[in-house]
């Protein structure tokens, strides 16, 4: 492999990490930007101003304690529903425990009974008054939101088991014969809860022209160990009725309004869990927002969705909620393409993960092995599949190594002052010897999409959450062996598996240089990438670094075995035989070769004119 091709191979790898490593802002810039974003989010109303919220809460509390009721208010539409005391109704099945509030008739909190947060606390999807779910009602000259009105429950609790299914109704009354019902339906198992919104006798009181505006918002609490990593994979996802799934930015505050397409569902997605609202009849208009309060250490992000819902022929709005894990197979079982909440990468990377890596992983998962063992077997299978490419790459580098003495001889005759002429002479040598100078690089480049695909696969793999292997307590996050004060680019810890991966990559680079016969600057260029990846991958899941470590170790083994299959003397003899063969005048040059020779000829002419 000559200097240009070898440098080009590692340049691709360097760019991947360098763009992250060298473009990181300073700590001062980060804090300044965080403060700016925080104040901007408050200004836009994406997050609450703590001081203003405290004043408002004090005023409400004072009024309630005074027991003052304006009789004029009681005479207005739904006036009686503006007065009340918040009470809670618990409904639960095997997987979920939901708390309904009489204020707003909404789901006040959602807890997943079979999961815990990273610090072993109950896993609550959302909870509290910062979470809204209300319809906008226009009655007379007043605009009301059901989130602020008091409902009457049909029961005090609901517990469903096995194959049973039951429901509970939250009623917002205008009169005994005029009301709005929120009917919650729950099965004995599963992560879904049905919500059927039905208006009765209110056609003249609350006229519906285009539909009901629904305001849904939630502040999603931290569930994972690394807040930065959790925020990186959290945002608003949505799917339209054309089966297109898209999402807002994962790295910055974002908003989007959609009026030309109907939505089928909207999801407030966190790294490993999602809150999804499914509209069976579709959503006419949608307005989505996501914001991050960087000063908040408890909530990951704040998400909002303003939706226009149209009643069906029966005057009802059938909805479903999904509160559950972002496990690919679990989401797929729910229907509606919810599995697309698991971001497996872009372009070809998505298809590699979805149709090759994931099926193999699911097959191995059936044996109930430790996930460390499954990753090991997954890596072995991948290396076996790619073994022919690895062999061709090794063989090509061996041919270039054998040719190196002749290339050095050409360099001595031509000199380094005329690189264009030097490359032309090299091409003549390659052609006579029957050697492709890119033969060692192309197989590696073909493997590159697979390597990058795993970069997205393991961080999105729910199955690794909370699973341990060796010293790694959780394969879905970093394994901090040393912690210290925060250092720019590194963070506040060193991941042991990331460190081992870096060391193995450096060793691999050393032996690869021996195989390729690299000298000079290109001998050391490959050592830059592992150092960059040490900083980049230090906070990534230990499962990902474990895979890269295994891949390096198995590559060592492959090259050791291939070494016994490749004889430099035989390669040299074959090259000499190729050089003796007369050139076939009928043999056409490849398009790439012809263009390369023409480009070099033009460069040589330009250099000759300069002289």
């Amino acid at each position: 492999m000559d200097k240009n091709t070898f440098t080009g191979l590692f340049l691709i790898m360097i760019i991947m990490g360098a763009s992250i490593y060298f473009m990181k802002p300073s700590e001062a810039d980060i804090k300044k930007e965080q403060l700016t974003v925080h104040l901007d989010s408050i200004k836009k109303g994406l997050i609450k101003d703590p001081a203003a919220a405290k004043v408002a809460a004090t005023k409400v509390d004072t009024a309630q304690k005074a027991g003052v009721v304006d009789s004029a208010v009681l005479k207005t539409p739904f006036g009686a529903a503006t007065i009340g005391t918040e009470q809670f109704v618990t409904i639960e099945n095997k997987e979920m425990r939901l708390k309904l509030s009489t204020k707003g008739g909404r789901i006040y909190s959602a807890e997943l009974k079979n999961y815990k947060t990273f610090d072993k606390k109950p896993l609550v999807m959302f909870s509290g008054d910062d979470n809204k779910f209300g319809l906008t009602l226009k009655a007379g000259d007043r605009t009301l939101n059901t989130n602020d009105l008091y409902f009457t429950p049909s029961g005090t609790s609901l517990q469903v088991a096995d194959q049973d299914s039951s429901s509970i109704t939250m009623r917002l009354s205008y009169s005994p014969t005029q009301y709005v019902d929120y009917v919650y339906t729950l099965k004995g198992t599963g992560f879904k809860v049905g919500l059927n919104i039905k208006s009765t006798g209110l056609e003249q009181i609350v006229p519906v022209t285009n539909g009901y505006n629904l305001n849904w918002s939630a502040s999603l609490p931290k569930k994972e160990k690394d807040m930065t990593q959790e925020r990186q994979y959290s945002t608003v996802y949505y799917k339209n009725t054309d089966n297109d799934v898209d999402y807002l930015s994962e790295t910055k505050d974002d908003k989007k309004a959609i009026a030309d397409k109907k939505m089928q569902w909207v999801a407030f997605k966190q790294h490993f869990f999602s809150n999804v609202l499914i509209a069976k009849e579709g959503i006419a208009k949608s307005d989505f927002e996501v914001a991050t309060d960087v000063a908040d250490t408890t909530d990951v992000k704040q998400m909002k969705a303003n939706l226009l819902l149209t009643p069906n022929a029966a005057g009802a709005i059938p909805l479903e909620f999904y509160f559950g894990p972002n496990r690919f197979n679990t989401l797929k079982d729910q229907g509606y393409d919810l599995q697309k909440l698991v971001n497996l990468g872009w372009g070809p990377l998505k298809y590699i993960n979805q149709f090759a890596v994931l099926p193999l992983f699911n097959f191995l998962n059936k044996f109930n092995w430790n996930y460390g063992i499954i990753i090991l077997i997954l890596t072995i299978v991948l290396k076996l599949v790619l073994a022919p490419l690895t062999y061709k790459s090794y063989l090509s580098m061996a041919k270039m190594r054998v040719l190196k003495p002749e290339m050095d001889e050409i360099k001595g005759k031509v000199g380094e002052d005329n690189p264009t002429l030097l490359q032309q002479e090299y091409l003549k040598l390659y052609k006579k010897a029957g050697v492709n100078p890119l033969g060692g690089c192309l197989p590696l480049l073909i493997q590159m999409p697979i390597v990058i695909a795993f970069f997205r696969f393991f961080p999105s793999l729910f199955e690794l959450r909370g699973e341990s292997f060796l010293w790694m307590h959780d394969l879905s996050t970093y394994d901090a062996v040393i912690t210290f004060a925060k250092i720019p680019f590194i963070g506040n810890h060193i991941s042991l598996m990331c460190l081992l991966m870096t060391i193995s990559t450096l060793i691999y680079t050393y032996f690869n240089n021996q195989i390729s016969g690299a000298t000079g600057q290109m001998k050391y260029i490959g050592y830059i990438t592992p150092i960059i990846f040490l900083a980049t991958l230090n906070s990534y899941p230990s499962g990902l670094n474990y895979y890269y470590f295994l891949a390096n170790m198995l590559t060592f083994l492959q090259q050791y075995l291939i070494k016994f299959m490749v004889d430099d003397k035989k390669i040299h003899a074959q090259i000499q035989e190729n050089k003796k063969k007369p050139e076939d005048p009928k043999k056409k040059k490849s398009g790439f070769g012809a263009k390369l020779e023409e480009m070099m000829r033009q460069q040589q002419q330009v250099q000759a004119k300069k002289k």
Side-chain angles (χ1 to χ4, degrees), residues 333-349:
D333 291 340
Q334 311 305 313
Y336 303 103
D337 287 329
L338 288 188
Q339 72 275 9
K340 292 183 179 180
L341 284 169
V342 181
N343 192 336
L344 295 176
W346 50 268
L349 307 183

Side-chain angles (χ1 to χ4, degrees), residues 308-361:
L308 179 61
L309 302 176
T310 305
N312 58 21
I317 303 175
L319 305 171
E320 275 187 318
F321 284 104
Y322 170 84
F323 303 120
N326 293 332
R327 184 191 291 110
F328 189 90
N329 291 337
T330 301
L331 289 168
K332 190 174 182 180
D333 291 340
Q334 311 305 313
Y336 303 103
D337 287 329
L338 288 188
Q339 72 275 9
K340 292 183 179 180
L341 284 169
V342 181
N343 192 336
L344 295 176
W346 50 268
L349 307 183
K350 176 174 64 177
Y351 299 107
I352 291 171
N353 283 327
Q354 184 172 346
F355 299 111
V357 181
L358 188 60
L360 178 57
F361 178 86

Side-chain angles (χ1 to χ4, degrees), residues 143-392:
T143 299
L144 305 171
N145 192 291
T146 59
N147 198 79
D148 303 319
L149 304 178
Y150 289 89
F151 288 63
T152 302
S154 61
T156 57
S157 64
L158 178 66
Q159 189 163 0
V160 190
D162 301 325
Q163 302 300 316
D164 293 341
S165 177
S166 190
S167 62
I168 196 166
T169 300
M170 305 291 283
R171 176 165 293 182
L172 173 64
S173 295
Y174 179 82
S175 74
T177 58
Q178 298 168 298
Y179 48 81
V180 176
D181 280 345
Y182 285 5
V183 182
Y184 291 94
T185 304
L186 192 64
K187 294 182 179 179
T189 58
F191 298 98
K192 277 185 177 179
V193 55
L195 170 58
N196 192 57
I197 300 176
K198 182 71 167 63
S199 173
T200 301
L202 293 173
E203 292 80 6
Q204 303 301 319
I205 308 299
V206 185
V208 178
T209 53
N210 297 323
Y212 293 101
N213 287 310
L214 171 65
N215 308 115
W216 182 33
S217 64
S219 293
L220 307 179
K222 179 182 178 183
K223 299 174 179 63
E224 314 304 330
K225 178 180 179 180
D226 188 355
M227 174 70 90
T228 301
Q229 189 82 353
E230 190 172 7
R231 280 175 171 165
Q232 182 178 336
Y233 292 93
S234 301
T235 190
V236 176
Y237 273 67
Y238 49 91
K239 178 196 173 185
N240 61 39
T241 51
D242 293 333
N243 295 323
D244 297 324
V245 175
D246 204 350
Y247 52 93
L248 301 185
S249 173
E250 295 173 318
T251 58
K252 62 182 180 180
D253 291 356
D254 195 12
K255 61 168 55 178
K256 188 170 185 178
I258 302 174
D260 59 336
K261 289 187 178 181
K262 294 183 70 174
M263 294 296 117
Q264 187 169 70
W265 53 255
V266 55
F268 294 169
K269 183 212 173 206
Q270 285 183 260
H271 191 175
F272 288 124
F273 297 92
S274 286
N275 308 282
V276 186
L277 176 63
I278 303 167
K280 296 182 179 181
E281 303 291 333
I283 302 167
K285 294 182 181 180
S286 308
D287 189 355
F288 309 120
E289 295 182 15
V290 60
T292 305
D293 183 359
V294 294
D296 194 338
T297 58
T298 58
D299 285 346
V300 176
K301 287 186 178 180
Q302 294 76 41
M303 303 184 189
K304 292 182 179 181
N306 295 322
L307 313 172
L308 179 61
L309 302 176
T310 305
N312 58 21
I317 303 175
L319 305 171
E320 275 187 318
F321 284 104
Y322 170 84
F323 303 120
N326 293 332
R327 184 191 291 110
F328 189 90
N329 291 337
T330 301
L331 289 168
K332 190 174 182 180
D333 291 340
Q334 311 305 313
Y336 303 103
D337 287 329
L338 288 188
Q339 72 275 9
K340 292 183 179 180
L341 284 169
V342 181
N343 192 336
L344 295 176
W346 50 268
L349 307 183
K350 176 174 64 177
Y351 299 107
I352 291 171
N353 283 327
Q354 184 172 346
F355 299 111
V357 181
L358 188 60
L360 178 57
F361 178 86
N362 289 336
F363 172 75
L364 295 174
N365 201 20
K366 293 178 181 179
F367 295 97
N368 294 319
W369 293 329
N370 182 280
Y371 283 103
I373 302 299
I374 290 178
I375 294 175
L376 171 60
I377 298 175
L378 188 68
T379 311
I380 292 173
V381 172
L382 178 64
K383 283 296 179 181
L384 289 175
V385 171
L386 298 177
L389 291 176
T390 304
Y391 175 78
K392 290 186 68 174

Side-chain angles (χ1 to χ4, degrees), residues 12-23:
I12 294 174
M13 299 179 66
I14 291 171
I15 291 174
M16 290 169 54
S19 61
I20 299 175
Y21 184 84
F22 290 109
M23 296 181 69

Side-chain angles (χ1 to χ4, degrees), residues 350-583:
K350 176 174 64 177
Y351 299 107
I352 291 171
N353 283 327
Q354 184 172 346
F355 299 111
V357 181
L358 188 60
L360 178 57
F361 178 86
N362 289 336
F363 172 75
L364 295 174
N365 201 20
K366 293 178 181 179
F367 295 97
N368 294 319
W369 293 329
N370 182 280
Y371 283 103
I373 302 299
I374 290 178
I375 294 175
L376 171 60
I377 298 175
L378 188 68
T379 311
I380 292 173
V381 172
L382 178 64
K383 283 296 179 181
L384 289 175
V385 171
L386 298 177
L389 291 176
T390 304
Y391 175 78
K392 290 186 68 174
S393 177
Y394 186 97
L395 182 61
S396 183
M397 286 190 290
K399 290 179 179 180
M400 295 298 295
R401 184 175 65 249
V402 170
L403 276 181
K404 190 174 184 305
E406 296 184 49
M407 294 173 65
D408 291 340
E409 185 179 344
I410 292 173
K411 184 187 292 185
K413 292 179 180 180
V414 177
E416 298 185 22
D417 296 335
N418 193 338
T420 303
L421 179 59
L422 181 62
Q423 289 298 323
Q424 283 182 330
E425 293 300 320
Y426 281 167
L427 286 175
K428 291 178 182 178
L429 176 62
Y430 298 151
K431 188 176 180 181
K432 288 181 180 180
V435 174
N436 182 359
L438 298 178
C441 301
L442 290 177
L444 295 178
L445 292 176
I446 293 173
Q447 297 180 50
M448 192 65 67
I450 299 176
V451 175
I452 301 175
F454 276 92
F455 184 79
R456 191 75 197 196
F457 178 75
F458 283 109
S460 300
L461 195 59
F462 179 87
E463 285 82 351
L464 297 185
R465 185 180 186 272
E467 297 294 334
S468 62
F469 181 66
L470 299 177
W471 67 86
M472 296 171 283
H473 299 298
D474 187 347
L475 290 169
S476 71
T477 188
Y478 59 82
D479 55 314
V481 66
I482 303 174
T483 57
F484 39 75
K486 191 172 184 179
I487 298 175
F489 308 118
I490 295 293
N492 62 353
H493 68 275
I494 290 292
S495 168
L496 178 56
M497 185 51 72
C498 184
L499 184 61
L500 292 175
M501 181 274 296
T502 302
I503 294 172
S504 68
T505 306
L506 290 170
I507 296 173
Y508 168 75
T509 302
Y510 171 80
F511 282 108
N512 194 64
N513 285 341
Q514 303 302 310
I515 295 171
S516 63
T519 58
Q521 291 183 350
M522 62 182 176
K523 182 177 180 180
Y524 302 102
I525 194 171
Y527 295 112
I528 300 175
T529 303
I531 303 302
I532 293 175
F533 282 156
L534 173 63
T536 304
L537 299 177
N538 188 46
S539 294
Y540 271 73
S542 54
L544 175 64
N545 286 311
Y546 173 55
Y547 158 73
Y548 286 141
F549 171 76
L550 290 175
N552 286 338
M553 302 307 295
L554 290 174
T555 300
F556 295 153
L557 178 61
Q558 277 185 325
Q559 291 186 348
Y560 179 77
L561 296 175
I562 292 173
K563 187 176 180 180
F564 291 101
M565 303 166 60
V566 177
D567 189 336
D568 285 7
K569 292 182 180 180
K570 290 183 179 181
I571 292 175
H572 184 267
Q574 182 62 50
I575 288 175
Q576 298 308 314
E577 287 295 323
N578 292 340
K579 290 167 66 176
K580 293 177 182 178
K581 295 178 181 179
E583 183 177 351

Side-chain angles (χ1 to χ4, degrees), residues 97-110:
R97 181 180 295 110
L98 308 177
K99 187 184 292 186
L100 308 182
S101 171
T102 56
K103 185 178 181 182
R106 62 190 175 89
I107 300 176
Y108 181 86
S109 67

